[in-house]
Amino acid sequence: MEISEIMSKEGLNTIWKILDEECVREPYVVADEAQARLDRCRRLPGQAMEAFLREAKQARRALVKEDPGTQISEIAFARKILRTSGLNRIEQRGVLAAAGAKWDARAIEDALRLMYSDAHLEDRRRAGDMRKKFGGGSSNSSSGKSRSKGS
């Protein structure tokens, strides 16, 4: 394509057409990516609860936008955010109790913010507690030798 062809109105339309063919993704691909984003959404160690909740809601909105036929009920979304919040089962039960023992997404979000807004600060300690509980921990404890005062 020559410069003079590009400078014309038809040349610009041709360039846009070429770019669209190369860069615009099919709607089903975009919908699949939005579904995968929601599926992957979970609070990572060190991630603030607020950031996790924001990401979960954005992923849900993106999926509904890209695939309008998708229906995610409030109960399903409430379960999703609670089960992927990075909390253990006992902590999750506490959040559900604080939310009035109802699978209400808004109430669970509020309870997570209220009770665990600083959970990202506790993640390292919480991981250490789990290693101790399930037999991990320091190399001294796994060697099988015990220390006595006389040694």
Side-chain angles (χ1 to χ4, degrees), residues 3 9 13-15 23 25 29-30 40 46 54-55 58 75 83 85-87 109 111 141 143:
I3 298 283
K9 186 174 183 172
N13 287 337
T14 303
I15 289 176
C23 299
R25 298 176 308 195
V29 173
V30 177
R40 282 190 316 268
R54 186 173 41 252
E55 171 60 23
Q58 287 173 348
I75 292 173
R83 298 297 184 222
S85 64
L87 304 176
E109 283 180 51
S141 64
S143 67

Side-chain angles (χ1 to χ4, degrees), residues 20-125:
D20 282 346
E21 290 171 0
E22 292 297 318
C23 299
V24 174
R25 298 176 308 195
E26 295 293 327
Y28 68 89
V29 173
V30 177
D32 285 347
E33 290 170 353
Q35 179 68 55
R37 178 181 175 191
L38 183 63
D39 291 344
R40 282 190 316 268
C41 189
R42 57 188 16 85
R43 192 178 72 82
L44 302 172
Q47 183 181 23
M49 191 62 72
E50 184 64 35
F52 159 69
L53 292 170
R54 186 173 41 252
E55 171 60 23
K57 290 190 325 190
Q58 287 173 348
R60 181 185 187 194
R61 279 193 302 269
L63 178 58
V64 170
K65 176 184 174 216
E66 299 303 334
D67 187 7
T70 298
Q71 295 282 329
I72 301 170
S73 72
E74 286 300 310
I75 292 173
F77 189 65
R79 284 189 175 143
K80 169 76 175 163
I81 60 175
L82 184 58
R83 298 297 184 222
T84 59
S85 64
L87 304 176
N88 66 38
R89 290 285 180 178
I90 294 169
E91 293 166 332
Q92 289 177 24
R93 284 185 199 117
V95 169
L96 187 57
K102 294 182 182 167
W103 289 106
D104 176 3
R106 182 67 185 163
I108 288 175
E109 283 180 51
D110 291 344
L112 284 169
R113 281 188 187 97
L114 177 67
M115 298 173 69
Y116 292 101
S117 62
D118 61 348
H120 61 287
L121 302 174
E122 303 284 323
D123 284 339
R124 180 170 285 166
R125 181 188 62 79

